Amino acid sequence: MRSINQSFSVTYQYTVTFTKGIFHVDNPLFAALFPKSPLIPKLLVVLDQGVAAAHPDLVAQIAQYGEKYQKQFKIAGPVVTIPGGEQCKNDQMHLERILAAINEHNIDRHSYVIIIGGGAVLDVAGYAASIGHRGIRQVRIPTTVLAQNDSGVGVKNGVNAFGKKNFLGSFSPPVAVVNDQSFLTTLDIRDWRSGIAEAIKVGLIKDRALFDFIKQSVTQLVQRDAETMDKLIHQCAELHVQHIASGDPFEQGSSRPLDFGHWAAHKLEQLSNYQLRHGEAVALGIALDCTYSYLIDKLSEENLIDILCLLREIGFDLYTDLFEEDTLLQGLKEFQEHLGGELTITLLDDIGCGTEVHHMDTEIIRKSIKLLYRYHHHNSLSA
Amino acid sequence: MRSINQSFSVTYQYTVTFTKGIFHVDNPLFAALFPKSPLIPKLLVVLDQGVAAAHPDLVAQIAQYGEKYQKQFKIAGPVVTIPGGEQCKNDQMHLERILAAINEHNIDRHSYVIIIGGGAVLDVAGYAASIGHRGIRQVRIPTTVLAQNDSGVGVKNGVNAFGKKNFLGSFSPPVAVVNDQSFLTTLDIRDWRSGIAEAIKVGLIKDRALFDFIKQSVTQLVQRDAETMDKLIHQCAELHVQHIASGDPFEQGSSRPLDFGHWAAHKLEQLSNYQLRHGEAVALGIALDCTYSYLIDKLSEENLIDILCLLREIGFDLYTDLFEEDTLLQGLKEFQEHLGGELTITLLDDIGCGTEVHHMDTEIIRKSIKLLYRYHHHNSLSA
């Protein structure tokens, strides 16, 4: 049998930079992202409607910035504004609008799509960039806590289809990420809080010190102290970035440790018709899987109470009527199907120490839900 | 300025295997592609309508094969048949049918999409596999000369949009390619011939020995000798595979040496409403760019005549009225835009030796066309 063996590697590099006021004309950081070249690169800007509304001067500021740095890049066409939140991933119209702008303004593989927004906008515009001409360079400017410390600094994108979250998407690293803390000042309190759920998640599965930092900083975080949040985002983004590089960046295997609490979270978001924010659903999912870990004697009662207390102090609900929906458990199956292979769920052995299991017991899930109900209504784990 | 640096590599490996009768129950090759595992992988089969018509027993044969090897894989759902040729890339309906089947039969990231067909079917089904769940494993079984020696063994996929070829697509290596020479026996003469154009192209830019082999084998190739074609495909696929690994597999730079003759070819295909086969258009594009190379004193007259003779002996037309269309030259611009960056065109210094230029002169292109007209009608380069 004759055959030809092919083997090659593709290397990806990008920097996550922290700044304030990225489009302030005196801030050279953004312009410096584009290597000087006789061919001035074209930029297509995609902007989250929510960010545009909270920062009414932003579009003018970007234009002014573009004028000052016109030797380094050229903004092609008007800013494309799309609604934030899950709706932009559900309705293909938004993806199509971005692709149409890529076509109309001749955005090519050496041009850039600049994406300013929350996780959903980064997902849909990142997907558009990744499939246009087989991959246009993308710069991500995440504007929420969640996007700055988690999804926005990673390599995934996608849109929903056939009623399934991220049914279509790709792994497509950005060429740069810029976390601008000025965008966080105008966040709705629910969005401010949501991002903290992913930080707690990372602390729980990987880094007890991060968990302790959040515990010690609850007051500042709840009072929206910018510097504390900045420290939290930096630590969390760093762990996220390290995790991607050290493991299986494009998830060719079965393991997905960063998706702790996510099998239930994804389903709860869907069951709530996306009225639950992703971080709120993740907090519920974490509460559930921590309680499950406690019930199967992996996590101590003290640790469980510590975790539930922290989630509640940040402001999360730990119980929802959606827990009682019969279809919740389908979330496990859908989680497995999305990835394929063996069901692999992360639970906790300890705070800072995740562990993988390949089965979850339906009865113990139901018991966990009952326990969370008691904790929610009676502030106690015992009957 | 604080920042986090990310850097990682992703390694891809696959094998191109040569066989006869891949779905003959006594041929264990196909079944052996799937590593033994307690979780039997699911396979979704996508089949080119033209192949199904030429091999009316194929679907039954696949089912029978699946039954024999049911411990190694499970065929999920009926075979999805889509039309071959550029039409399946122009009408999004075919892409959507494949995605709907992926959804319906729960094809996940550890399942496989098995694609049997010509280059266009491989492109659209490969694209569907690459965006479903952010990337489902794909096995390619190219059924034309062109797909077996060129596109099918490579890493690209795509569909057309906004009237532009491959406007949407991705770089997504298969997990395996199997070249089955039995499929070549039923090819239309135009499809048999078309693939030889890409082989001549590779010989011209990279390997004089391959060009000479084709020259010496003209009679056998024209008489459709299977073993000669097998040797040609093997050499050409090997050069193609090596080229991908040694260069810039996902084309992040500006250079595209394998696209010799392709700026005109892509445009001619479009101008002909895809009545020209890709290989026929490539032969015309090669003739044009070789003549251009001669007119700017890169290629000798002797070499040019050698090349034009060979193309004609294989059976290609070297002139088309479409050469006279004013929009032909837009092909240069579109070629540049698809890739972005500086215009980079491969020309020839010698047979077996490509060279890159960043500009083509409109007047010299017109002169090249006139020269090909003369050669076509009067069998001579001189007026």
Side-chain angles (χ1 to χ4, degrees):
Chain A
M1 194 179 71
R2 292 163 313 134
S3 60
I4 302 167
N5 292 316
Q6 171 69 301
S7 173
F8 62 85
S9 295
V10 178
T11 299
Y12 298 94
Q13 289 185 305
Y14 59 92
T15 300
V16 182
T17 314
F18 292 76
T19 195
K20 273 187 210 178
I22 180 171
F23 292 113
H24 192 289
V25 285
D26 294 333
N27 187 343
L29 187 149
F30 181 75
L33 294 176
F34 311 99
K36 286 202 178 160
S37 142
L39 286 170
I40 296 176
K42 281 178 279 188
L43 273 51
L44 177 73
V45 181
V46 179
L47 175 61
D48 191 319
Q49 223 158 65
V51 177
H55 301 266
D57 298 334
L58 186 61
V59 171
Q61 211 187 6
I62 293 171
Q64 203 185 355
Y65 192 92
E67 232 162 88
K68 172 156 177 188
Y69 294 96
Q70 57 181 287
K71 286 187 183 153
Q72 277 156 279
F73 63 84
K74 180 183 175 312
I75 293 176
V79 168
V80 180
T81 307
I82 65 170
E86 210 62 22
Q87 55 175 319
C88 72
K89 296 174 67 175
N90 278 328
D91 184 344
Q92 303 285 316
M93 179 186 82
H94 306 294
L95 172 65
E96 280 160 20
R97 276 187 55 219
I98 301 168
L99 291 171
I102 288 172
N103 174 54
E104 191 183 344
H105 304 295
N106 299 315
I107 300 302
D108 58 36
R109 216 184 277 166
H110 287 232
S111 303
Y112 295 79
V113 177
I114 310 298
I115 318 170
I116 309 165
V121 169
L122 294 171
D123 268 356
V124 63
Y127 178 54
S130 81
I131 58 177
H133 298 293
R134 298 198 184 105
I136 298 161
R137 298 168 182 178
Q138 54 176 292
V139 173
R140 300 206 198 130
I141 305 173
T143 57
T144 64
V145 175
L146 190 88
Q148 290 193 358
N149 71 4
D150 191 88
S151 59
V153 302
V155 298
K156 301 190 211 179
N157 60 50
V159 295
N160 308 334
F162 302 106
K164 291 179 186 165
K165 198 168 156 93
N166 299 324
F167 184 84
L168 301 176
S170 74
F171 292 93
S172 182
V175 296
V177 180
V178 186
N179 279 344
D180 180 345
Q181 62 166 271
S182 343
F183 287 117
L184 306 182
T185 58
T186 55
L187 282 184
D188 180 279
I189 179 65
R190 287 178 67 191
D191 288 319
W192 172 272
R193 190 189 285 146
S194 272
I196 305 174
E198 296 281 4
I200 294 174
K201 175 203 75 178
V202 174
L204 287 175
I205 55 180
K206 284 189 168 277
D207 190 352
R208 165 121 222 173
L210 175 61
F211 181 84
D212 290 340
F213 171 79
I214 302 171
K215 227 174 110 176
Q216 286 146 20
S217 315
V218 168
T219 315
Q220 293 93 311
L221 288 171
V222 169
Q223 290 172 354
R224 302 186 66 152
D225 177 66
E227 291 321 306
T228 309
M229 182 57 99
D230 189 60
K231 272 185 209 153
L232 179 64
I233 289 174
H234 196 284
Q235 285 177 69
C236 195
E238 195 150 31
L239 284 166
H240 196 88
V241 157
Q242 278 166 9
H243 171 78
I244 291 169
S246 65
D248 176 14
F250 291 176
E251 295 179 5
Q252 292 166 336
S254 297
S255 169
R256 269 168 80 169
L258 284 183
D259 278 351
F260 176 54
H262 277 55
W263 71 267
H266 285 164
K267 195 69 198 176
L268 290 169
E269 275 180 274
Q270 198 196 70
L271 289 172
S272 79
N273 259 321
Y274 298 98
Q275 293 308 298
L276 274 176
R277 300 280 209 279
H278 181 64
E280 293 167 342
V282 167
L284 287 158
I286 289 174
L288 183 61
D289 284 354
C290 287
T291 309
Y292 187 99
S293 302
Y294 158 69
L295 286 177
I296 60 168
D297 291 327
K298 281 184 181 289
L299 191 68
S300 73
E301 183 170 343
E302 191 194 339
N303 277 337
L304 175 64
I305 291 175
D306 231 21
I307 297 165
L308 298 181
C309 270
L310 177 60
L311 287 168
R312 202 144 71 168
E313 280 174 13
I314 296 293
F316 291 113
D317 280 334
L318 302 186
Y319 179 80
T320 165
D321 287 341
L322 300 172
F323 271 155
E324 308 295 338
E325 300 267 345
D326 289 338
T327 50
L328 176 72
L329 290 167
Q330 278 181 17
L332 270 180
K333 196 162 166 273
E334 286 169 15
F335 185 75
Q336 174 184 7
E337 266 169 15
H338 181 58
L339 181 61
E342 200 176 8
L343 175 69
T344 303
I345 295 285
T346 299
L347 295 177
L348 291 193
D349 270 338
D350 196 355
I351 291 175
C353 183
T355 182
E356 290 184 348
V357 299
H358 300 290
H359 171 74
M360 281 186 87
D361 184 280
T362 307
E363 274 317 299
I364 303 176
I365 293 174
R366 290 197 212 284
K367 267 193 201 163
S368 307
I369 290 172
K370 276 192 192 135
L371 210 144
L372 285 173
Y373 178 90
R374 269 206 299 278
Y375 186 75
H376 181 72
H377 286 286
H378 309 294
N379 215 8
S380 153
L381 289 178
S382 31
Chain B
M1 194 182 70
R2 292 163 313 132
S3 60
I4 302 167
N5 293 316
Q6 171 69 301
S7 172
F8 62 85
S9 295
V10 178
T11 299
Y12 298 94
Q13 290 184 306
Y14 60 92
T15 300
V16 182
T17 314
F18 292 75
T19 194
K20 272 188 210 177
I22 180 172
F23 292 114
H24 192 288
V25 286
D26 293 333
N27 187 343
L29 187 149
F30 181 75
L33 296 176
F34 311 99
K36 287 203 177 159
S37 141
L39 287 170
I40 296 176
K42 281 178 279 189
L43 273 52
L44 178 73
V45 180
V46 179
L47 175 61
D48 191 319
Q49 224 158 63
V51 177
H55 301 264
D57 298 334
L58 186 61
V59 170
Q61 210 186 7
I62 294 171
Q64 203 186 352
Y65 192 91
E67 232 162 88
K68 170 154 179 190
Y69 294 97
Q70 57 182 287
K71 287 188 181 154
Q72 278 157 278
F73 65 84
K74 180 185 175 312
I75 292 175
V79 168
V80 180
T81 306
I82 64 170
E86 209 64 21
Q87 55 175 320
C88 72
K89 296 175 66 175
N90 278 328
D91 185 344
Q92 303 286 315
M93 180 185 81
H94 306 294
L95 173 64
E96 280 160 22
R97 275 185 59 219
I98 301 168
L99 291 171
I102 288 172
N103 174 54
E104 190 183 343
H105 303 296
N106 299 314
I107 299 303
D108 58 37
R109 217 183 277 166
H110 288 231
S111 303
Y112 296 78
V113 177
I114 310 298
I115 318 170
I116 309 164
V121 169
L122 294 171
D123 267 358
V124 62
Y127 179 54
S130 82
I131 58 177
H133 298 293
R134 298 197 182 106
I136 299 162
R137 298 169 182 178
Q138 55 178 291
V139 173
R140 300 205 199 129
I141 304 171
T143 57
T144 64
V145 176
L146 190 89
Q148 290 193 358
N149 71 3
D150 190 90
S151 60
V153 302
V155 297
K156 302 191 210 179
N157 59 51
V159 296
N160 307 335
F162 303 106
K164 291 179 185 164
K165 198 169 157 90
N166 299 324
F167 184 84
L168 300 176
S170 75
F171 293 94
S172 183
V175 297
V177 180
V178 186
N179 279 345
D180 180 345
Q181 62 168 270
S182 342
F183 288 117
L184 306 182
T185 58
T186 56
L187 283 183
D188 179 280
I189 180 65
R190 288 178 66 191
D191 289 319
W192 172 273
R193 189 189 286 145
S194 272
I196 305 174
E198 296 282 3
I200 294 174
K201 175 203 75 179
V202 174
L204 287 175
I205 55 181
K206 284 188 170 275
D207 189 352
R208 166 120 221 174
L210 176 60
F211 181 84
D212 290 340
F213 171 78
I214 301 171
K215 228 174 108 177
Q216 286 146 20
S217 315
V218 169
T219 315
Q220 294 93 313
L221 288 172
V222 169
Q223 290 173 354
R224 301 187 66 153
D225 177 66
E227 291 320 305
T228 308
M229 183 56 101
D230 190 60
K231 272 185 209 154
L232 179 64
I233 289 174
H234 196 284
Q235 285 179 70
C236 194
E238 195 150 30
L239 284 165
H240 196 89
V241 157
Q242 277 167 8
H243 171 78
I244 291 168
S246 65
D248 175 14
F250 291 178
E251 295 178 5
Q252 293 166 337
S254 296
S255 170
R256 270 168 81 169
L258 283 184
D259 278 352
F260 176 54
H262 277 56
W263 71 267
H266 284 165
K267 196 68 198 175
L268 291 170
E269 274 180 275
Q270 199 195 69
L271 288 172
S272 79
N273 260 320
Y274 298 98
Q275 293 308 299
L276 275 176
R277 299 281 207 280
H278 181 63
E280 292 166 342
V282 167
L284 287 159
I286 288 175
L288 182 61
D289 284 355
C290 286
T291 309
Y292 187 100
S293 302
Y294 158 70
L295 286 177
I296 61 170
D297 291 328
K298 280 183 183 289
L299 191 68
S300 73
E301 183 171 343
E302 190 195 339
N303 279 335
L304 175 64
I305 291 175
D306 231 21
I307 297 165
L308 297 181
C309 271
L310 177 61
L311 286 168
R312 202 144 71 166
E313 280 175 13
I314 296 292
F316 292 113
D317 279 333
L318 302 186
Y319 178 81
T320 165
D321 288 341
L322 299 172
F323 271 155
E324 308 295 338
E325 299 268 343
D326 289 338
T327 50
L328 176 72
L329 289 167
Q330 277 181 18
L332 269 181
K333 197 162 166 272
E334 285 168 16
F335 185 75
Q336 174 183 7
E337 266 170 14
H338 182 57
L339 181 63
E342 200 177 8
L343 175 69
T344 304
I345 295 284
T346 299
L347 295 177
L348 291 194
D349 271 338
D350 196 354
I351 290 175
C353 184
T355 181
E356 289 185 348
V357 300
H358 301 290
H359 171 75
M360 282 187 86
D361 185 278
T362 306
E363 275 315 298
I364 303 176
I365 294 174
R366 290 196 212 284
K367 268 193 201 161
S368 308
I369 290 172
K370 276 193 192 136
L371 210 144
L372 285 173
Y373 178 89
R374 269 204 300 275
Y375 187 76
H376 180 73
H377 286 285
H378 309 294
N379 215 9
S380 153
L381 289 177
S382 32

